[in-house]
Amino acid sequence: MRPVPPSGPDAPAPGSPKSSDADRARAPRRALRTRGGLLLLEAAVAFAAALLLPLLARGFKLNPLNRIAQVSGLAAIQLRFALVGLLFIGAVVLAMRLRGGRHFDLATRLAAAALAGLASGFVAAGAVVALLGTPWPMFGLNGDSGRIVEWAHAVANGLPSGSPVYPPMPLYTLGYYAEWFHGGNTAYAFKDLQILGAAAFGPLVYLAWRMLLSPVRALAFGVVPAFALIDSYKPYSQTVLVLLIPVLVAMVVALRRSGTEGWRPLLLKGAGFGAVLGVLFLTYSGWFLWSAAGVLFAALLYFPWKGGRLKGAAFMGSALAAFLVVAGRYLMVMLKEGQTTKDYNFRFDNFTDPAYYLMWRTDMPGKVGDWPPPGEFGGVGLFALVTFVCLGAAIWLGLRKPLVVTIAAMFISAWVMRMYIASHMYETQTVQLYTRTNNQLLYCGLILCALVAHLVSLKLAERRTASGATASTEGAPSAPEDGAASAPDAVRTGFPGREGAVIGTLCALLLLLGTVSSSMSDRYMPAQDGTYRILPWVSHTIRQQDGKCPKFAPKGECSKDGDQSWLSYIR
């Protein structure tokens, strides 16, 4: 019996036997457009969520210099954070229950993106509360804040900045933003960018890790460790670090696959990585120096030596060309001027054990007792032991994975550079910012700890899949295509369903990110204690440009430079 040909509007036209081949050729492009559209939707949700809490915090009625008011403000932000986060998690639960879970993956994507945005939005909202009633940025015109404001005003007016080696991107961004929104007042504009920079931290980190991991894993294993470094004072430097690591890892992964890529996507992808790295280099260049040796090692290790050498070289060449187009001029300045630029400013951490990097007390540590804090094992604390054990476990479980090897190499590279610079400190009487490697070492270590959980979960998923396949050959129903075990398989293998794992993880991350964000926000609540709390305190004591004092100035008093008591805490 001859089969009946398909009919209807979707049936192939008579005489076009190759229409199925054309459909198969278009399928990858349709899938790429779909993935791109979903990623844009995630980005939109993440950035919208990041702006929500700062906008709501602007309406708070409280005195930010009063400790009870600060606690109330943090609680008010936490309440809104939790309620909005629970709404997104509730949407995931509904998506699991409705229409056979058809939209569960979409709801999960949006919930993960929203939590990333809400978390950094929490810190930005804390900065809003800390600066209520004053137009000045944190620290006003003192310290780094004052220099950045001055240099940005200069470059916005076509003049050279005060330091040719200082990254130009923050200065030009501040200068132009001030021209557009504050009539050229770079001081008042810097307050906005401190808040907006903190808010953008979470969405940017989440999107960077989405190049490598699924939504929930990007949130758990990339975004959460980054929140140990979020900063409202100069948000751009830490943001570059937490973006640079996933971008460089993704570039090494792409290099490894370059031997089988088509020429056009290969060159476009290489140019894209080069351009992104150029923008990051223009924003803050220090992390590049401390990461260079590790990334070079990973690139040589994963270069397609056996097949595709020409394509590998073309990929790296296109990346280098794009990088030079974007940042070549600044790179030449760094190579020329960087040799003569010396950092003679000895800070608190320059007098402590150079092997201790697990917590940074900042340049303004306040009153400090024993430092580093004494540990249980030969002076080393439990957190350090866990970090080192996880580093070894991550290398053991992921020795063949560029994700693990590249991050471990960057950790080792920063460690070696740290010790090299510190070992010459007495001879040269220069610091060269080596203590800033604290942040890279800590972030890489935290990521490696998180990746242990990631790699173990992958191993468990493989076992579950293998168990499902065995059960299927024995006549039992096989696991669904999305990897979630069916109810009989879950009972038989002891693994819970994927949906429950996703919802439970999102609930745990909501509480974790809310707690961490509250702590990092509290770090900048105004106080006269010599820590970073002095930064917003000073902002409330500086006379405004109209001659009046800020709304909550202590006793209604202010001055041109503000409260300078912080100087007594500098060693």
Side-chain angles (χ1 to χ4, degrees):
M1 183 176 180
R2 297 181 61 185
V4 179
S7 60
D10 296 328
S16 59
K18 295 184 178 180
S19 58
S20 59
D21 295 337
D23 290 339
R24 282 195 293 270
R26 285 192 294 268
R29 290 194 292 271
R30 285 198 298 268
L32 186 61
R33 285 196 297 269
T34 300
R35 288 196 297 269
L38 289 173
L39 193 59
L40 286 175
L41 184 58
E42 289 180 62
V45 170
F47 282 107
L51 293 176
L52 177 61
L53 295 178
L55 289 174
L56 294 176
R58 294 179 64 188
F60 290 179
K61 305 298 182 182
L62 51 83
N63 180 351
L65 273 62
N66 181 280
R67 183 56 186 168
I68 297 300
Q70 294 171 6
V71 173
S72 296
L74 290 172
I77 300 171
Q78 186 76 250
L79 176 63
R80 288 155 178 78
F81 171 85
L83 291 177
V84 178
L86 287 172
L87 284 177
F88 278 95
I89 296 176
V92 176
V93 176
L94 285 176
M96 178 187 70
R97 308 277 298 181
L98 300 177
R99 299 176 66 85
R102 181 180 303 176
H103 301 298
F104 179 80
D105 287 340
L106 175 61
T108 299
R109 282 174 176 261
L110 300 185
L115 290 186
L118 285 170
S120 59
F122 192 133
V123 179
V128 171
V129 170
L131 295 173
L132 282 175
T134 178
W136 297 105
M138 290 189 185
F139 222 23
L141 299 178
N142 298 281
D144 288 349
S145 178
R147 285 191 290 269
I148 292 170
V149 166
E150 178 185 351
W151 296 343
H153 181 76
V155 298
N157 288 277
L159 302 174
S161 72
S163 172
V165 299
Y166 197 84
M169 184 67 75
L171 304 181
Y172 281 96
T173 300
L174 175 57
Y176 287 121
Y177 180 88
E179 292 290 336
W180 296 335
F181 298 104
H182 286 273
N185 188 332
T186 52
Y188 288 3
F190 194 34
K191 173 185 174 180
D192 289 0
L193 292 189
Q194 286 178 334
I195 295 168
L196 292 174
F201 183 91
L204 290 174
V205 179
Y206 173 78
L207 294 171
W209 280 100
R210 283 290 285 116
M211 295 188 295
L212 299 162
L213 300 171
S214 63
V216 176
R217 290 175 185 268
L219 180 66
F221 306 138
V223 174
V224 170
F227 270 74
L229 306 177
I230 191 170
D231 183 12
S232 301
Y233 178 42
K234 292 191 297 180
Y236 54 88
S237 62
Q238 309 302 336
T239 301
V240 170
L241 169 62
V242 296
L243 293 179
L244 181 64
I245 290 176
V247 169
L248 287 174
V249 172
M251 185 175 177
V252 171
V253 172
L255 175 63
R256 186 188 193 188
R257 299 171 179 169
S258 60
T260 58
E261 287 270 9
W263 280 103
R264 183 180 179 186
L266 175 78
L267 296 175
L268 290 176
K269 192 177 295 184
F273 278 115
V276 170
L277 290 174
V279 171
L280 294 178
F281 187 76
L282 290 174
T283 306
Y284 194 82
S285 57
W287 315 119
F288 286 79
L289 172 64
W290 299 319
S291 303
V295 175
L296 178 61
F297 168 80
L300 292 174
L301 182 64
Y302 291 106
F303 189 86
W305 296 106
K306 292 184 178 180
R309 293 183 185 179
L310 182 59
K311 287 187 174 181
F315 174 82
M316 295 303 295
S318 63
L320 177 61
F323 177 84
L324 292 176
V325 167
V326 174
R329 183 177 179 181
Y330 177 56
L331 176 63
M332 295 304 296
V333 171
M334 288 292 293
L335 293 175
K336 180 181 178 181
E337 302 288 343
Q339 302 296 323
T340 58
T341 301
K342 303 296 182 181
D343 177 14
Y344 300 99
N345 186 15
F346 282 77
R347 305 168 182 83
F348 165 75
D349 273 1
N350 299 125
F351 298 91
T352 63
D353 179 4
Y356 185 80
Y357 65 88
L358 297 165
M359 185 163 53
W360 187 43
R361 288 297 300 261
T362 76
D363 299 343
M364 306 173 70
K367 296 179 181 180
V368 180
D370 290 340
W371 191 262
E376 299 81 8
F377 178 73
V380 178
L382 180 61
F383 178 61
L385 295 177
V386 170
T387 302
F388 296 141
V389 169
C390 287
L391 187 150
I395 294 174
W396 169 44
L397 296 171
L399 185 59
R400 299 182 182 277
K401 297 182 180 296
L403 173 63
V404 174
V405 173
T406 305
I407 295 174
M410 293 174 70
F411 179 97
I412 295 171
S413 174
W415 178 272
V416 171
M417 288 295 298
R418 175 186 181 89
M419 296 306 164
Y420 174 79
I421 297 173
S423 68
H424 290 78
M425 184 170 56
Y426 178 75
E427 176 186 350
T428 63
Q429 290 297 299
T430 60
V431 177
Q432 302 304 94
L433 296 176
Y434 85 85
T435 54
R436 302 302 170 90
T437 56
N438 282 23
N439 297 325
Q440 181 166 333
L441 292 168
L442 178 60
Y443 186 44
C444 289
L446 290 174
I447 294 172
L448 290 170
C449 288
L451 287 179
V452 171
H454 168 63
L455 295 169
V456 169
S457 68
L458 291 180
K459 295 292 184 183
L460 293 177
E462 291 174 3
R463 289 182 57 189
R464 182 180 64 189
T465 302
S467 300
T470 302
S472 178
T473 61
E474 296 174 355
S478 59
E481 292 182 0
D482 63 359
S486 62
D489 285 337
V491 174
R492 183 181 301 110
T493 62
F495 290 106
R498 183 174 71 95
E499 291 86 355
V502 167
I503 294 169
T505 300
L506 289 175
C507 289
L509 293 177
L510 175 69
L511 292 174
L512 176 59
L513 286 170
T515 305
V516 171
S517 298
S518 184
S519 175
M520 299 306 284
S521 298
D522 189 36
R523 182 189 188 190
Y524 290 98
M525 289 299 162
Q528 278 182 301
D529 61 359
T531 68
Y532 262 19
R533 296 170 184 264
I534 197 68
L535 304 181
W537 175 275
V538 170
S539 304
H540 289 277
T541 64
I542 299 176
R543 187 181 300 112
Q544 298 175 174
Q545 292 188 346
D546 61 3
K548 299 179 180 179
C549 289
K551 181 177 180 180
F552 299 106
K555 300 179 181 180
E557 299 176 356
C558 58
S559 63
K560 176 180 179 293
D561 297 320
D563 185 353
Q564 296 296 305
S565 62
W566 59 275
L567 291 170
S568 63
Y569 292 95
I570 296 180
R571 199 165 188 173

